[in-house]
Amino acid sequence: MYRQIRHQAMNDRWNEFPPAKSSNLVPLYDGVGEVVALGDDVTRHKIGDRVAGLFFQEWENGPLTEQALGTALGGPLNGVLTEYRAFEEGGLISFPDHLSFHAAATLPCAAVTAWHALFCGSRRLTPGQHVLVLGTDGVSLFALLAGAHVTAISSSDEKISRLQEMGAHSTLNYRDTPK
């Protein structure tokens, strides 16, 4: 029953997004790359910059608008599952050299999702509050950076050890302690 309810809720939410602009839509939004060419008026980036595409190409801040929803990579706009992709200058953000391409690819969605969940709702996180993260996915890992007291749960002792190294204040293996 849970799967059916969740699936329906996801379908209802998905129907709020504008339809794809093409039947040959290029999927995927978590992608990074290197700038290989520039338009004449581009000033924010240079050839060789390591960049990630913003999930909503026309949303920098403030409330998410219907117009911004229509600029999501991977639907309704073409995504990044391609060798080359042209972007508007404001649709890219550089990422630091110490991040690998794999690590940086988590920024457009997982980091923004964690930020939104912790700082953009009606109950915004303040320093010292407690946060429970479930598992070790990208969203959970980014929550470790939020300045809260983080309790993390996982079924893997190896992952729990890594979470502790990354700054989790307390951890729990839910297979060893199911209650």
Side-chain angles (χ1 to χ4, degrees):
M1 186 65 161
Y2 172 74
R3 291 175 68 94
Q4 291 173 339
I5 292 169
R6 182 171 178 265
H7 179 72
Q8 184 60 46
M10 290 173 63
N11 281 344
D12 290 348
R13 179 72 179 134
W14 181 252
N15 290 333
E16 294 177 23
F17 285 84
K21 296 185 188 306
S22 164
S23 61
N24 296 318
L25 180 73
V26 176
L28 203 63
Y29 51 81
D30 280 339
V32 295
E34 186 174 278
V35 175
V36 296
L38 298 171
D40 293 335
D41 298 330
V42 173
T43 59
R44 286 188 191 178
H45 307 288
K46 62 184 183 309
I47 291 179
D49 280 357
R50 296 158 20 108
V51 294
L54 300 177
F55 181 71
F56 291 113
Q57 289 286 287
E58 294 181 16
W59 181 47
E60 285 189 37
N61 59 42
L64 185 59
T65 64
E66 194 169 325
Q67 178 182 341
L69 281 173
T71 65
L73 291 177
L77 298 183
N78 279 327
V80 296
L81 190 59
T82 182
E83 188 172 359
Y84 294 97
R85 168 74 160 78
F87 286 86
E88 293 293 328
E89 181 176 22
L92 295 172
I93 188 166
S94 297
F95 62 89
D97 290 338
H98 73 273
L99 289 178
S100 69
F101 281 103
H102 286 104
T106 67
L107 296 173
C109 190
V112 172
T113 299
W115 180 265
H116 189 267
L118 297 170
F119 298 108
C120 297
S122 61
R123 297 183 63 196
R124 295 178 182 174
L125 183 70
T126 57
Q129 283 185 310
H130 291 253
V131 173
L132 172 66
V133 296
L134 310 176
T136 57
D137 67 0
V139 176
S140 294
L141 295 179
F142 280 110
L144 289 173
L145 305 174
H149 179 101
V150 175
T151 298
I153 66 171
S154 175
S155 62
S156 163
D157 288 335
E158 182 180 333
K159 289 180 180 180
I160 284 175
S161 177
R162 182 73 177 123
L163 288 165
Q164 291 167 340
E165 289 172 17
M166 295 176 73
H169 295 87
S170 52
T171 56
L172 176 75
N173 184 319
Y174 62 82
R175 289 190 197 246
D176 293 345
T177 313
K179 293 184 182 182

